[in-house]
Amino acid sequence: MTTVLDIKFSPIDIEARKKLDLRPGDSVRVWQKIKEGDKTRLQAFEGLVLARKHGTEAGATFTVRKVSDGIGIERVFPLYSPVIEKIEILRRGKVRRAKLYYVREKAQSEARRKMKQTLYTKPKEETPAAEGPATE
């Protein structure tokens, strides 16, 4: 005869993470525990949710993209990872796609357009300022 025990192995609240309504298009801040030596600190990763995969099952993940110093950075976070301290939803997005991978190409073309604008605009010519009252 075997008995089934309800044992939780992780310190996270799995039910709260299941109920977290995280959708593509949302702006989120993910607080992650970083271990450096014997100390632990929290580090935030703030960006746009591009995709959510595998629903609410054990291997569920979500992809977050941010732009830092003009470079796009994407990270895939496991939804139920004990390393994640908390997930804050900052802003809801209204999107019409389940996966927002097209944002990568959109950001690239936007960056190229800005570079072209800066290349073809001529700097304003400076007119010499009068150094004193003009006398004739």
Side-chain angles (χ1 to χ4, degrees):
M1 184 173 149
T2 60
T3 58
V4 179
L5 298 175
D6 187 27
I7 300 173
K8 288 188 178 181
F9 293 104
S10 65
I12 62 163
D13 188 5
I14 294 174
E15 293 303 317
R17 294 265 174 104
K18 259 187 197 177
K19 291 177 184 173
L20 185 67
D21 189 24
L22 193 64
R23 294 180 292 211
D26 293 348
S27 293
V28 296
R29 185 180 295 136
V30 182
W31 291 93
Q32 185 176 15
K33 295 177 198 167
I34 306 289
K35 189 172 183 183
E36 294 174 339
D38 57 343
K39 293 181 182 177
T40 306
R41 66 179 176 88
L42 290 177
Q43 184 175 20
F45 190 88
E46 187 175 328
L48 177 74
V49 177
L50 294 185
R52 179 162 176 183
K53 293 187 174 184
H54 310 292
T56 57
E57 65 184 38
T61 60
F62 60 100
T63 306
V64 181
R65 176 184 174 88
K66 76 171 182 177
V67 178
S68 178
D69 294 328
I71 299 170
I73 301 167
E74 288 184 16
R75 291 194 60 186
V76 179
F77 293 101
L79 186 62
Y80 302 111
S81 174
V83 175
I84 295 175
E85 181 72 23
K86 63 182 171 182
I87 302 167
E88 298 174 357
I89 299 174
L90 305 174
R91 194 170 60 237
R92 288 283 182 197
K94 185 181 177 190
V95 294
R96 297 163 75 179
R97 299 279 181 276
K99 307 284 187 282
L100 303 179
Y101 298 134
Y102 69 90
V103 171
R104 299 168 182 161
E105 283 76 32
K106 189 175 180 184
Q108 287 174 355
S109 60
E110 204 172 289
R112 279 193 212 105
R113 192 179 74 239
K114 282 184 181 176
M115 286 180 71
K116 279 186 182 178
Q117 286 175 352
T118 57
L119 282 173
Y120 294 123
T121 55
K122 294 180 181 177
K124 295 180 182 176
E125 293 182 20
E126 295 181 21
T127 55
E131 293 181 7
T135 55
E136 288 185 35

